[in-house]
Amino acid sequence: MERHQVNTHSLEATAKRMVADDKGLIAIDESTGTCNKRFAKWGIPQTAETRRKYRELIVSTPGLGESISGAILYDETIRQQKDDGTPFAKALVDVGIIPGIKIDTGAKEMAGFPGEKITEGLDGLRARLAEYAQMGALFAKWRAVLAIGDGIPSEGCIEANAHALARYAALCQEAGLVPVVEPEVLMDGAHTLETCGEVTEKVLRAVFKELYSQRVKLEGLILKPNMVLPGSTCPKQETVDEVADATVRYLLRGVPAAVPGIAFLSGGQTGELASARLNAMNVRVKSRLPWALAFSFGRAIQEPALEIWHGDQSNLQAAQQALYHRARCNRAARLGEYNATVEADHSENAPLVVSSLELAGSAR
């Protein structure tokens, strides 16, 4: 049987484009259930057509490609079109944004491991990847979820999720898609910053061990990790700079230099705090790191726009301006130029650089 040859150069080129020009990714890959929950919060009708209108609001936001290199879509979304009949994937390409696809089928309770989850979706993955590639996707995303608690995450849960991520990544590269590898250590809980760092390092080491084992080309993938944070209910909440330093410290211990880029998930952080923490990393150590530090945010970019839109098309322009603004703030954070002035300025023509960082010296 002839062995499938991976086009390493194409994968590397796409991965580099995903973190080039100080841009990042926008995640609009919420499942139908998750999207409906967010709509319900604002009293928005939970229908396929309303979801289509909302996704069109995002992909047609003027100037989005100035700050966004790629967009992660959901199965429903990649099959949808704009009002004029243009498929969303093509609409993104037309403005210089790379289309991607969420490929896993969700995190489910892990048999024999109470309180822990395993992400499913490997069955039939080769065929699904081929279909999405035909639709125009150039990268994919798979999310593993690891909670911190009493005795967890366990070795068994870490290893099972790491192996699944590696198998997914190998199949992606075989299909010519760049895998976004997302091992998320959740911020829920009362654990300390140090505990999160230790667990994050352990998870990253396990993931890369499996990626090596499955012959995944590290130059042709993007890592999407959590930032190293104190638990959301931990009494001690470290400053923005302390979070930035801890995150970089543990990433340096667990992520090989061959990886072209790290695109952080927001994981429930506010948009402003996620931007401030990313900015602090790029201000303090960007020039000394082997990989680009970028963003792959969902709610941290979308939430203000969704609140403004409220399902009412008369709010479309204002919602798009809010989306553009949050994307622009995150590009400023990649440049190390995010500050209170940039955050406050919603003008489309505002200069990206105003002054050196003076924002949020301590966490809120």
Side-chain angles (χ1 to χ4, degrees), residues 172-196:
C172 276
Q173 292 190 339
E174 178 190 81
L177 276 68
V178 170
V180 174
V181 174
E182 181 178 2
E184 178 177 4
V185 176
L186 298 172
M187 62 185 287
D188 305 324
H191 55 270
T192 64
L193 178 90
E194 289 76 16
T195 297
C196 178

Side-chain angles (χ1 to χ4, degrees), residues 4-323:
H4 185 96
Q5 293 296 314
V6 174
N7 187 338
T8 304
H9 294 300
S10 176
L11 290 169
E12 289 182 23
T14 300
K16 287 177 182 176
R17 279 180 61 203
M18 290 167 69
V19 292
D21 302 321
D22 293 296
K23 299 179 184 181
L25 309 177
I26 183 171
I28 50 175
D29 60 344
E30 302 88 358
S31 67
T32 299
T34 299
C35 193
N36 284 345
K37 285 179 185 175
R38 293 185 187 167
F39 279 11
K41 176 183 175 182
W42 302 111
I44 300 169
Q46 293 135 56
T47 66
E49 175 58 15
T50 310
R51 290 191 297 273
R52 186 198 67 79
K53 285 181 179 178
Y54 177 59
R55 266 67 181 257
E56 179 167 359
L57 177 160
I58 295 171
V59 303
S60 61
T61 293
L64 191 63
E66 296 168 14
S67 303
I68 300 297
S69 59
I72 310 170
L73 306 177
Y74 182 60
D75 179 77
E76 177 183 69
T77 314
I78 201 170
R79 301 177 191 279
Q80 290 174 328
Q81 303 173 340
K82 293 173 62 178
D83 285 337
D84 64 8
T86 307
F88 285 160
K90 184 178 186 304
L92 290 166
V93 171
D94 289 346
V95 294
I97 297 175
I98 306 167
I101 183 72
K102 171 190 160 132
I103 200 74
D104 67 73
T105 58
K108 310 292 167 59
E109 296 298 325
M110 187 169 170
F113 291 79
E116 299 191 274
K117 294 186 176 182
I118 180 70
T119 301
E120 298 180 347
L122 288 173
D123 288 350
L125 181 54
R126 180 178 272 127
R128 285 187 288 128
L129 285 166
E131 181 187 14
Y132 290 131
Q134 283 196 323
M135 292 182 187
L138 290 180
F139 71 95
K141 189 205 84 167
W142 179 292
R143 174 178 177 247
V145 181
L146 299 120
I148 297 178
D150 186 16
I152 63 173
S154 64
E155 293 282 352
C157 179
I158 292 172
E159 289 175 7
N161 277 290
H163 183 73
L165 279 166
R167 288 300 307 134
Y168 139 81
L171 285 163
C172 276
Q173 292 190 339
E174 178 190 81
L177 276 68
V178 170
V180 174
V181 174
E182 181 178 2
E184 178 177 4
V185 176
L186 298 172
M187 62 185 287
D188 305 324
H191 55 270
T192 64
L193 178 90
E194 289 76 16
T195 297
C196 178
E198 290 165 4
V199 172
T200 298
E201 179 185 352
K202 189 174 184 179
V203 168
L204 290 173
R205 286 178 180 273
V207 168
F208 281 100
K209 179 176 181 291
E210 290 291 338
L211 289 168
Y212 279 121
S213 178
Q214 298 302 320
R215 300 178 178 176
V216 174
K217 308 297 182 185
L218 300 189
E219 295 84 356
L221 67 80
I222 298 294
L223 179 69
K224 181 175 177 175
N226 53 282
M227 294 184 190
V228 174
L229 304 171
S232 54
T233 58
C234 180
K236 183 182 181 184
Q237 295 288 318
E238 278 78 2
T239 66
V240 166
D241 286 348
E242 286 170 338
V243 165
D245 290 347
T247 298
V248 170
R249 182 166 65 250
Y250 285 106
L251 288 174
L252 282 168
R253 293 177 183 175
V255 184
V259 174
I262 293 173
F264 291 105
L265 57 92
S266 51
Q269 301 175 77
T270 65
E272 293 87 348
L273 203 46
S275 298
R277 287 163 167 167
L278 176 61
N279 184 84
M281 291 181 224
N282 281 310
V283 165
R284 295 164 77 81
V285 293
K286 180 178 183 176
S287 63
R288 305 197 299 272
L289 297 177
W291 4 256
L293 292 184
F295 57 91
S296 178
F297 295 162
R299 277 174 292 174
I301 294 179
Q302 290 186 48
E303 195 69 19
L306 181 59
E307 181 180 358
I308 290 168
W309 180 59
H310 235 92
D312 185 345
Q313 288 297 89
S314 67
N315 298 327
L316 178 70
Q317 188 173 353
Q320 288 182 327
Q321 180 58 29
L323 189 80

